[in-house]
């Protein structure tokens, strides 16, 4: 009889001794690649077994694994291609099981739009040549600088190739109207007309 009472007391007290054994928790860790709309949330959970199922919501609506479908979950804990904003991770142990939610997760994609500045004067005199230096602010290196005339914008006269410098100088340019384009490693392109 004494063994039964001890066993019953142990079963009644056990949940209060270490409630972490019985608790479920869901969280998400934000990160980014530094490119526009490339935020990342990596979900994790405790107490939901070895293969929990996840979904990511923004403003209460699923964005992944199936946008707009709050019934879909995935075993993949990583959500990518996210714009800046506030997200929540939902998780469950099995299909149809209880759904647990994380606290709000703030995602920033880490990208600041680039701007390009280029002086407008190319050559000092008729028949002379000049140089033109373009400067990039923000964006994500490496950058590719190209120049073409406005009359033949698809014919590239000079190309920097992929370089990490935020400035590039185009040399030996005759007086003309030009188009300078700069593309960063995120694929964003800024085009400036030089008259």
């Amino acid at each position: 009889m004494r063994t039964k009472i001890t066993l019953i007391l142990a079963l009644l007290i056990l949940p209060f001794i270490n409630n972490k054994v019985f608790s479920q928790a869901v969280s998400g860790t934000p990160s980014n690649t530094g490119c526009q709309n490339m935020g990342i949330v990596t979900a994790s959970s405790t107490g939901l077994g070895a293969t929990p199922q996840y979904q990511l919501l923004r403003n209460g609506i699923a964005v992944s694994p199936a946008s707009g479908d709050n019934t879909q979950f995935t075993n993949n804990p990583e959500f990518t291609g996210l714009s800046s904003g506030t997200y929540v991770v939902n998780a469950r142990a099995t299909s149809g099981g209880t759904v647990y939610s994380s606290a709000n997760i703030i995602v920033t994609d880490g990208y600041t739009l680039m701007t390009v500045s280029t002086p407008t004067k190319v050559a000092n005199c008729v028949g002379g040549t000049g140089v033109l230096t373009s400067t990039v602010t923000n964006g994500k290196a490496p950058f590719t600088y190209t120049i073409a005339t406005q009359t033949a914008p698809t014919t590239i006269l000079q190309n920097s190739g992929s370089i990490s410098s935020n400035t590039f100088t185009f040399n030996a340019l005759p007086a003309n109207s030009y188009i300078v384009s700069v593309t960063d490693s995120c694929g964003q392109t800024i085009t400036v007309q030089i008259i």
Side-chain angles (χ1 to χ4, degrees):
M1 182 71 153
R2 185 176 206 179
T3 306
K4 287 183 182 180
I5 292 173
T6 304
L7 182 60
I8 291 171
L9 284 174
L11 290 174
L12 291 173
I13 295 172
L14 187 60
F16 299 104
I17 293 173
N18 185 3
N19 70 1
K20 285 191 175 232
V21 172
F22 300 99
S23 68
Q24 294 79 25
V26 179
S27 63
T29 304
S31 60
N32 66 61
T33 64
C35 290
Q36 194 171 23
N37 298 321
M38 293 301 290
I40 301 167
V41 169
T42 304
S44 61
S45 62
T46 57
L48 294 178
T51 56
Q53 299 175 338
Y54 299 102
Q55 74 176 183
L56 187 68
L57 292 91
R58 184 171 185 182
N59 300 320
I61 300 181
V63 294
S64 189
S67 183
D69 187 348
N70 286 21
T71 65
Q72 297 297 311
F73 285 75
T74 180
N75 291 105
N76 183 355
E78 187 172 271
F79 301 98
T80 60
L82 306 174
S83 59
S84 294
T86 303
Y87 295 84
V88 170
V89 171
N90 281 347
R92 64 187 183 189
T94 59
S95 181
T98 302
V99 175
Y100 300 91
S101 298
S102 71
N104 285 342
I105 303 158
I106 308 299
V107 172
T108 56
D109 61 20
Y111 186 78
T112 304
L113 291 173
M114 71 176 162
T115 58
V116 177
S117 59
T118 304
T120 56
K121 193 171 188 178
V122 175
N124 290 327
C125 60
V126 176
T129 62
V131 297
L132 191 135
T133 301
S134 292
T135 303
V136 173
T137 306
N138 300 318
K140 185 177 178 187
F143 303 100
T144 301
Y145 300 77
T146 61
I147 192 165
T149 63
Q150 289 186 19
T151 56
T154 59
T155 304
I156 304 301
L157 302 174
Q158 294 178 36
N159 183 329
S160 68
S162 182
I163 61 173
S164 60
S165 176
N166 70 330
T167 62
F168 182 76
T169 300
F170 299 100
N171 293 301
L173 296 169
N176 207 334
S177 296
Y178 292 96
I179 297 174
V180 171
S181 293
V182 181
T183 302
D184 71 3
S185 66
C186 295
Q188 302 298 315
T189 300
I190 300 291
T191 300
V192 179
Q193 294 186 357
I194 314 304
I195 298 174

